[in-house]
Amino acid sequence: MNSDIIRVAVVDDHLLFRKGLRALVNGFTGMEVLFEAGDGQELLERLDFGVVPDVILMDLQMPVLDGLQTVRLLRVQYPYVRVIIISMHDEPELIDNLRAEGAHGYLLKNANPEEVRKSIEIVIRQKTARPASLVKK
C-alpha cells in the first residue's frame, strides 16, 4: 500500500449515507476507505484488530456508542488518528465542545464534496507523527 494514500474510515448508523460517503471518498485522488462501521463500538473493535485509518469521518448521533463518547475514547486510545465529525447540527457551542473533547474537524451532512476533501486534507496536515510501532511497512 502506498504510504501517501490517506486511509479513511466511515462511521455512521445510516447505511445509505455511509455507502455514499465511502463512494465519494474513494473517488478522491490519494484517498481510500479502509472500512465502514455502524457505530462507535464497531469502530473501536476494528481499531483493536489493528485496522487503523489516518482519518475517521464519524456521525455524531449513533446507537450503542455515539460520536462524542467515541471521540473521548479515541483521544486516549488512538491520539494520532484524526476525527472529523459529520452531523446535521450546526450549533457553535456543540462544535466547540466536540473540538474540546478531541474532534479535529466538523462538517455538516449537507457539505459539498469539495468541503469533505479539503477537511480531510487539512486534518492530515495537522497530524502528529504516528508511533513507529504502528506504521505499516
Side-chain angles (χ1 to χ4, degrees):
M1 185 183 295
N2 185 339
S3 63
D4 293 338
I5 298 283
I6 299 170
R7 299 168 308 155
V8 179
V10 176
V11 186
D12 195 293
D13 58 322
H14 294 97
L15 181 62
L16 191 59
F17 182 81
R18 204 167 62 226
K19 295 291 182 192
L21 194 53
R22 178 184 198 125
L24 177 71
V25 172
N26 280 335
F28 295 147
T29 302
M31 296 183 197
E32 71 173 348
V33 175
L34 290 181
F35 65 87
E36 302 170 25
D39 59 57
Q41 183 64 45
E42 188 181 339
L43 167 70
L44 292 171
E45 289 169 5
R46 296 294 295 266
L47 298 178
D48 288 344
F49 278 113
V51 184
V52 182
D54 301 305
V55 177
I56 298 169
L57 299 175
M58 183 167 48
D59 188 16
L60 182 58
Q61 294 181 300
M62 299 178 291
V64 186
L65 199 58
D66 70 23
L68 180 58
Q69 294 168 310
T70 306
V71 163
R72 289 174 177 149
L73 293 168
L74 289 169
R75 183 182 65 200
V76 174
Q77 298 174 13
Y78 298 92
Y80 47 86
V81 175
R82 313 311 280 173
V83 180
I84 299 172
I85 296 292
I86 301 180
S87 178
M88 295 180 298
H89 302 283
D90 63 353
E91 298 84 20
E93 186 176 307
L94 171 66
I95 297 168
D96 290 344
N97 186 36
L98 285 163
R99 287 188 186 276
E101 293 290 348
H104 303 97
Y106 192 89
L107 285 168
L108 291 173
K109 283 196 171 180
N110 66 357
N112 69 52
E114 186 63 15
E115 287 176 282
V116 175
R117 185 188 62 75
K118 283 182 180 176
S119 293
I120 293 169
E121 290 173 350
I122 287 168
V123 299
I124 282 295
R125 281 196 297 270
Q126 300 166 345
K127 186 173 180 162
T128 57
R130 176 179 271 215
S133 63
L134 296 172
V135 176
K136 290 193 175 184
K137 306 277 186 236

